[in-house]
Amino acid sequence: TNFRTTMLCEEGASSSDFDETAAVLSEVHVASSKKVSEFWFAVESVEDVEDEDGDLVVPRRQRIRIEHSLATPVSEVGKQIWRGGLVLCDWYLEDPRRVEGKRVLELGAGTGISAVVAARLGADVTATDIYLDLLRRNVEANGCETTCAVAELDWARREKETWRSLLETSPDPYDLAVAADVVYDDELTGRFFDVLRAVKARRVVVCLELRFNFELESLSVRAHGYRRFQKECRSHFPQSHKMLDVPPQRLHTYDRHGAKFELWEFLRCFC
């Protein structure tokens, strides 16, 4: 059973309405029985670079290996790799200057694949989630333990003080905060925006994969959680959010066929 067929629920349903025991499988893992996946990328310079002999420098491939689960309950989908996180990697790789030398905070880092790519590109990353053992193993396995810190942050908890202390420990704003594939349920989307409003970051980029399902209530096809996402954008960031272009695929290899992605940017001012 994949994500599209499992997450059939009425728009407006809360996470408590999902069958927490139902198996959910990311499209990334379809037709695979491996619990460690390998990806590669080549860092291309924005401008042509020549060596001392005047020859163009050919970018070398970098490989990363990510441990993950396969089919999981809905409550543990963060242990899988999802395509929104891979598209976020593509956004980094399209122009590495977006993260190079920057302080980056990732919310809901999951397996850590996008945090690892950002760290490989020269970012100082803080990757947050609730599955810290898996996240930490992937950070260390890819040699990023000195440039990617791991911290617990669970925005699903109703007690805001459980995550607010982490967000307020940084004396200076992060240059960039990111999140990917965190919009699939109305209640959790609302809590995500609670955290987002508390984040001290000059720029926020959120990557979504829109998964369309049939909704019985309206007899129409909708992407669950997306209307709540749009509502929160208009309510809390009315003048400072915009959609970005989806980058070309630069992380290899995964299949984007038939998928719809969106990247949203939120700008913040800390004077």
Side-chain angles (χ1 to χ4, degrees):
T1 303
N2 66 25
F3 194 102
R4 288 190 176 89
T5 57
T6 302
M7 301 295 283
L8 293 175
C9 63
E10 295 184 359
E11 188 74 27
S14 69
S15 56
S16 61
D17 295 316
F18 295 141
D19 181 356
E20 294 290 340
T21 63
V24 178
L25 179 64
S26 166
E27 294 87 348
V28 176
H29 307 310
V30 171
S32 174
S33 59
K34 298 180 179 179
K35 291 190 175 182
V36 176
S37 295
E38 186 173 284
F39 301 85
W40 65 268
F41 61 89
V43 180
E44 299 181 9
S45 175
V46 177
E47 301 177 353
D48 290 338
V49 178
E50 298 180 353
D51 62 18
E52 59 185 13
D53 296 323
D55 298 321
L56 289 177
V57 176
V58 178
R60 293 184 177 180
R61 290 184 177 184
Q62 293 196 39
R63 296 187 179 275
I64 57 177
R65 291 171 57 86
I66 300 295
E67 176 189 343
H68 56 80
S69 297
L70 294 176
T72 64
V74 174
S75 60
E76 298 182 4
V77 292
K79 295 181 179 180
Q80 300 185 55
I81 300 171
W82 297 90
R83 289 186 295 194
L86 304 182
V87 172
L88 182 60
C89 294
D90 290 327
W91 184 74
Y92 297 155
L93 293 166
E94 183 182 36
D95 185 353
R97 294 175 301 182
R98 290 168 175 160
V99 294
E100 183 180 6
K102 303 289 198 308
R103 295 179 63 244
V104 177
L105 172 69
E106 181 165 2
L107 304 172
T111 62
I113 183 167
S114 50
V116 165
V117 171
R120 286 281 189 91
L121 294 176
D124 178 8
V125 183
T126 299
T128 67
D129 208 289
I130 57 175
Y131 306 114
L132 301 188
D133 290 341
L134 175 63
L135 179 54
R136 188 173 289 111
R137 285 199 302 271
N138 282 326
V139 167
E140 293 175 352
N142 288 281
C144 298
E145 59 269 28
T146 61
T147 54
C148 183
V150 172
E152 183 177 14
L153 197 161
D154 181 5
W155 65 75
R157 296 182 183 176
R158 293 188 180 278
E159 301 82 7
K160 294 183 179 180
E161 58 271 15
T162 61
W163 44 258
R164 190 177 298 276
S165 59
L166 170 65
L167 299 179
E168 293 180 347
T169 55
S170 176
D172 300 313
Y174 288 93
D175 298 299
L176 176 68
V178 296
D181 266 333
V182 296
V183 175
Y184 54 86
D185 165 66
D186 278 1
E187 183 177 351
L188 288 178
T189 299
R191 294 184 185 180
F192 169 67
F193 272 88
D194 287 341
V195 174
L196 204 58
R197 293 198 301 275
V199 166
K200 295 167 62 177
R202 295 182 176 87
R203 187 185 193 191
V204 178
V205 172
V206 179
C207 183
L208 315 176
E209 179 180 355
L210 275 61
R211 299 178 176 86
F212 295 95
N213 293 303
F214 182 72
E215 179 186 276
L216 292 175
E217 183 180 17
S218 64
L219 298 179
S220 62
V221 176
R222 299 187 183 276
H224 299 300
Y226 186 61
R227 286 191 296 187
R228 177 64 179 270
F229 176 82
Q230 292 178 311
K231 178 182 177 181
E232 296 284 351
C233 287
R234 292 191 299 267
S235 175
H236 301 294
F237 302 94
Q239 305 297 327
S240 61
H241 73 279
K242 68 176 182 179
M243 192 184 300
L244 304 176
D245 293 333
V246 175
Q249 184 170 344
R250 296 178 183 272
L251 184 70
H252 305 276
T253 109
Y254 70 100
D255 185 9
R256 285 191 183 183
H257 180 72
K260 179 176 175 55
F261 303 99
E262 290 184 359
L263 266 80
W264 288 88
E265 177 186 60
F266 308 86
L267 298 179
R268 311 284 296 278
C269 178
F270 295 91
C271 302

